[in-house]
Amino acid sequence: MTSLTITHTHAEGTLIEGTVRGDGSSDILKAQRWRWSRNLGSWYIPHSRDRLAKLPQINATASALRSAEFDVEITIDDTYRPTAEVESDKITRQEGRVEALGAKAERKAGVAEAAWEAERAAHAALPEGGEPIKIGHHSESRHRNAVDKAWNKLGKAVLSEREAARARGRADAAAGTTDSRYAPVSVARRIAKLAAELRGHERARDGHTRTLFTNSQTGEKYLESHAPAEGTHRDRVLAEIERTTDDLAYWEGVRAQHIADGKVTAFNPDVVTKGDHVYYIGKWNEVVRVNAKTVAIRSIVGGSWTDRIPYTEIRALRTAEAVPVRVVDGARVIGDEAADEPAVTP
């Protein structure tokens, strides 16, 4: 029996060792949604790095392989890595990807240039002045071959140009991935998402009760109760709490640095007042209500309703008289000069 080993770590993700081309394992792994990586030289489960092991998929794969007379061993280490280490690893991998895509784009550009050079040479070999093919003449076959060659070279040049453009586009997109991930608005949204996830994990740990609905006639509330997590489920919940807490602390540190660097302003209910104007989606909008986490503005599409804007997505603030409002040590400070455009960039 062929021996295979399925391993899972947060640094490497879920991999399988011991497979050989033609041993029959590839069809099984494809059916179980594994993919082959030339860089890793191994089959892997997509999106498994720095996540808890996908036990149902791993166990189903092992069962299918064993049914095909493979000897399968499973080794799992579900220890989370510190968020700072994870992010450093992501940035390093992305830099490598950008470099590889840039090199590919350069190669494709070289191929395209060579293809256009070949097209120009083939076109130059055609008779001058668009001379028609002389049917029955001894030059007919040569002339037709020259026309076909010119058309073929033109087609290859156009195809190569498109491939080069696609490669350059992928390289340019990859170059901005890390910047987009660390953009102030992206960071603020990630913090809000992680905070919500943490609250959910804590409710699962401690147990909770929620109101499903209230009888409008009797006022009786119908509740749904969830007991605190127990056993292995509790262990996983506690691990998720630890991981999410670390994630949240990391990204809150990134946002704190954004604020310290002046990239964003920490607007809050103590700073914004009704009647102020906030800069959002390319225009100034009047604040009609101040809430704990958002401000309400008049509908940005002209409706009769109001839209709610999170404080983290306000780019700039000014009074109704167009006087800029700054935040200094968490306090509202009204500036001396008018500002028509925001001073910060999302």
Side-chain angles (χ1 to χ4, degrees):
M1 299 176 66
T2 302
S3 295
L4 305 177
T5 302
I6 297 176
T7 63
H8 176 84
T9 64
H10 282 234
E12 300 295 335
T14 307
L15 308 174
I16 186 166
E17 301 173 358
T19 60
V20 178
R21 180 187 292 271
D23 64 359
S25 62
S26 61
D27 291 338
I28 297 173
L29 293 172
K30 288 178 183 178
Q32 296 297 328
R33 305 186 308 280
W34 289 61
R35 293 181 186 173
W36 172 259
S37 169
R38 287 185 297 175
N39 291 334
L40 298 174
S42 171
W43 290 89
Y44 71 101
I45 292 181
H47 310 297
S48 59
R49 184 184 278 119
D50 290 308
R51 298 186 181 182
L52 292 176
K54 300 178 181 179
L55 295 178
Q57 186 176 359
I58 291 173
N59 291 332
T61 301
S63 178
L65 290 170
R66 287 166 182 155
S67 297
E69 300 187 351
F70 288 93
D71 182 20
V72 183
E73 180 182 350
I74 300 175
T75 302
I76 293 177
D77 179 3
D78 250 343
T79 305
Y80 277 114
R81 298 191 293 166
T83 303
E85 181 181 338
V86 173
E87 287 299 314
S88 176
D89 193 15
K90 283 183 179 180
I91 292 172
T92 299
R93 290 200 310 272
Q94 187 63 23
E95 288 174 348
R97 184 169 183 266
V98 169
E99 184 178 350
L101 288 174
K104 182 178 181 179
E106 292 296 327
R107 292 196 302 271
K108 291 290 186 180
V111 171
E113 181 56 34
W116 281 114
E117 186 62 32
E119 187 277 334
R120 286 190 288 269
H123 186 270
L126 294 174
E128 295 183 3
E131 180 180 343
I133 297 175
K134 299 175 182 177
I135 308 301
H137 192 265
H138 66 82
S139 64
E140 179 183 355
S141 178
R142 183 175 67 252
H143 195 161
R144 289 186 182 280
N145 289 338
V147 171
D148 289 342
K149 183 177 181 180
W151 272 110
N152 289 337
K153 295 297 182 182
L154 175 61
K156 290 181 179 179
V158 171
L159 180 61
S160 297
E161 186 70 30
R162 289 175 179 173
E163 290 180 349
R166 281 196 295 268
R168 175 48 57 191
R170 291 185 64 193
D172 291 343
T177 297
T178 298
D179 289 341
S180 297
R181 181 172 174 78
Y182 280 79
V185 169
S186 298
V187 171
R189 290 174 179 172
R190 189 171 297 113
I191 290 172
K193 180 174 180 291
L194 288 169
E197 288 180 1
L198 182 59
R199 292 192 296 271
H201 294 319
E202 290 172 341
R203 286 194 298 270
R205 177 196 62 192
D206 302 332
H208 65 282
T209 300
R210 65 170 183 154
T211 301
L212 294 178
F213 64 93
T214 302
N215 189 311
S216 59
Q217 295 180 339
T218 65
E220 181 182 2
K221 293 184 178 181
Y222 292 82
L223 306 177
E224 180 183 72
S225 297
H226 297 266
E230 298 179 349
T232 57
H233 175 53
R234 183 176 180 82
D235 293 338
R236 291 175 76 90
V237 169
L238 293 176
E240 286 298 301
I241 289 176
E242 183 179 358
R243 187 270 302 175
T244 308
T245 300
D246 187 39
D247 277 357
L248 186 57
Y250 176 85
W251 289 108
E252 285 177 339
V254 173
R255 178 161 177 80
Q257 190 61 52
H258 284 167
I259 294 172
D261 293 341
K263 294 182 178 180
V264 293
T265 302
F267 295 112
N268 58 70
D270 297 328
V271 173
V272 184
T273 62
K274 182 179 178 180
D276 283 347
H277 288 75
V278 295
Y279 197 81
Y280 176 72
I281 310 184
K283 62 180 294 187
W284 289 99
N285 303 270
E286 181 184 355
V287 176
V288 296
R289 187 171 61 255
V290 177
N291 307 309
K293 296 182 179 180
T294 64
V295 296
I297 63 173
R298 302 188 189 282
S299 170
I300 60 177
V301 295
S304 59
W305 58 89
T306 59
D307 293 322
R308 292 188 297 176
I309 310 302
Y311 289 105
T312 54
E313 299 197 20
I314 296 174
R315 291 183 56 193
L317 177 68
R318 70 185 187 187
T319 66
E321 294 76 24
V323 179
V325 176
R326 297 179 293 117
V327 178
V328 179
D329 295 330
R332 175 186 176 98
V333 176
I334 299 177
D336 296 328
E337 55 185 29
D340 295 326
E341 294 298 331
V344 296
T345 302

